[in-house]
Amino acid sequence: NLACSREVLCDLGLGFVLFSRGPKSGKMSEGVVTLRTRKFLTNRLMQRKQMVVDVLHPGRATIPKTEIRERLAKMYKTTPDVVFVFGFRTQFGGGKTTGFGLIYDTLDYAKKLEPNYRLARHGLYEKKKPSRKQRKERKNRQKKVRGVKKTKVSAGKKGR
């Protein structure tokens, strides 16, 4: 029954459809957003579920990945922190966006298997890099030596 709530999640056989009923206004941003999954695969070797995600959003701008993560988590009865979505491309003319989604069994498997740049997007990884001055000094020390000695210089000891 759509009349009783603002958002209703329905399974129509092809996937889950989220009907969003916002307050009545003339805005284009409020409309029906449909999330469909295709090519679903349970990858036991990598402890995850993987799928192609189609987002239908006619009359609305591209949906943020955080919102897609939350809706996929609700669909597959898990938490948004183990859902990783990426590679979204909006079709010409708008209205449909397609990307890829991964749902890990646990956060530990996600940290072990996901590349660091995707973990950084979720705030789970931060690359430690030396200060700008240290990097410049190291670069200038490396310029003074040739070949494999450059690695010794970068380690801290200056090869003389």
Side-chain angles (χ1 to χ4, degrees), residues 10-123:
C10 301
D11 184 7
L12 300 176
L14 299 168
F16 286 87
V17 179
L18 183 86
F19 295 101
S20 179
R21 291 174 41 96
K24 291 186 180 182
S25 66
K27 291 183 183 175
M28 288 283 288
S29 64
E30 273 142 17
V32 178
V33 176
T34 309
L35 221 67
R36 283 205 186 108
T37 58
R38 317 182 263 125
K39 297 185 179 179
F40 181 87
L41 182 76
T42 303
N43 191 336
R44 285 288 105 220
L45 191 65
M46 299 185 95
Q47 308 293 327
R48 70 185 184 196
K49 299 174 193 86
Q50 53 197 52
M51 67 217 73
V52 173
V53 181
D54 289 327
V55 184
L56 299 170
H57 49 93
R60 190 172 166 185
T62 306
I63 309 302
K65 284 192 276 191
T66 52
E67 197 175 321
I68 294 170
R69 280 175 56 198
E70 289 165 6
R71 291 184 183 194
L72 274 177
K74 195 186 290 184
M75 277 168 61
Y76 288 96
K77 296 177 179 67
T78 184
T79 56
D81 60 334
V82 296
V83 180
F84 291 80
V85 291
F86 56 94
F88 280 90
R89 290 279 170 257
T90 305
Q91 282 188 358
F92 180 74
K96 184 178 180 184
T97 304
T98 303
F100 204 75
L102 303 171
I103 302 173
Y104 285 92
D105 293 349
T106 64
L107 193 58
D108 291 333
Y109 287 121
K111 285 181 179 177
K112 184 179 170 188
L113 296 166
E114 275 294 291
N116 289 336
Y117 73 93
R118 269 195 235 138
L119 290 172
R121 288 176 186 173
H122 285 232

Side-chain angles (χ1 to χ4, degrees), residues 1-8 19-24 30-32:
N1 185 0
L2 288 176
C4 63
S5 69
R6 282 178 44 79
E7 289 188 359
V8 177
F19 295 101
S20 179
R21 291 174 41 96
K24 291 186 180 182
E30 273 142 17
V32 178

